[in-house]
Amino acid sequence: NAQQMENYAKNVASMGITTQVARETVTRMVQAQMDLTDATKLARIAQDAARIGNTNSSDALQKMIYGIQTGQVEVLKTIGLNVNFETSYKKLAAQLRKNSDDLTEQEKVLARTNITMEAGGRISTVYAESQKTLGGQLLSMPRYIEEVKLKFGELFKPAFSIIIQEII
């Protein structure tokens, strides 16, 4: 339900992801039939991947979800996540005692998610190390600016709504 999705989004945001991207991520995960319990884990991996991809965590998370959702390995490689989806399909199929050609789309998404999280384990200290540098800290600034804009908008939303209604 909506409250559960908002809770997942808050958990994702707590990992250094902007509120807007956290909400979009949860929505995309639902659309892709991904397990929402993986959302926070993927957000954590996005922190490390962002530093490798020379971007921010929110952008890295969006790329991760898109790569998993569409099965595009190249998207994940741009942020340091070297995966082989075909291998992940075979691995999951063996666990399910199936042929990899018989996997459903939902099972393929699960396999892609699993291999992405596995690859994330190989880069797990990059973010923490980068935060010790000025450059790493500067890459986090856009998120803080985005959150301030969101709070500013929430603060003036009632007054802005009245102005818009008067104009119309």
Side-chain angles (χ1 to χ4, degrees):
N1 64 30
Q3 185 58 51
Q4 288 173 319
M5 287 184 64
E6 185 61 27
N7 289 341
Y8 281 114
K10 284 181 183 177
N11 290 337
V12 170
S14 74
M15 302 305 310
I17 307 298
T18 65
T19 301
Q20 179 178 343
V21 170
R23 289 176 180 153
E24 289 172 8
T25 296
V26 170
T27 301
R28 284 189 177 150
M29 288 181 73
V30 168
Q31 290 171 334
Q33 298 181 335
M34 294 173 70
D35 185 349
L36 290 180
T37 61
D38 292 332
T40 305
K41 296 174 203 165
L42 291 169
R44 174 61 195 93
I45 293 166
Q47 289 179 314
D48 294 312
R51 294 310 183 247
I52 293 170
N54 197 30
T55 187
N56 62 58
S57 301
S58 297
D59 181 54
L61 182 59
Q62 287 179 313
K63 288 178 180 178
M64 280 176 50
I65 298 302
Y66 182 75
I68 292 168
Q69 188 176 28
T70 62
Q72 294 185 34
V73 173
E74 296 79 19
V75 173
L76 296 173
K77 286 183 179 181
T78 65
I79 54 173
L81 296 168
N82 296 313
V83 298
N84 183 320
F85 288 151
E86 291 303 319
T87 302
S88 72
Y89 300 153
K90 290 175 185 174
K91 185 176 178 181
L92 182 61
Q95 291 171 351
L96 298 175
R97 298 181 183 170
K98 287 182 161 185
N99 186 313
S100 59
D101 293 334
D102 296 331
L103 291 175
T104 65
E105 185 55 33
Q106 187 174 3
E107 290 167 336
K108 287 180 181 181
V109 168
L110 175 61
R112 293 191 297 256
T113 303
N114 290 343
I115 197 80
T116 300
M117 289 193 294
E118 186 179 308
R122 294 190 292 269
I123 61 168
S124 64
T125 61
V126 175
Y127 177 77
E129 290 301 314
S130 76
Q131 286 303 95
K132 296 176 183 176
T133 69
L134 180 59
Q137 293 168 7
L138 283 174
L139 283 172
S140 295
M141 286 302 296
R143 173 175 51 98
Y144 295 118
I145 293 168
E146 185 70 29
E147 292 301 311
V148 167
K149 289 190 315 188
L150 178 67
K151 295 296 180 192
F152 187 77
E154 288 173 0
L155 180 65
F156 291 102
K157 184 178 177 180
F160 190 59
S161 177
I162 292 169
I163 292 169
I164 295 298
Q165 290 173 3
E166 290 299 318
I167 292 173
I168 300 175

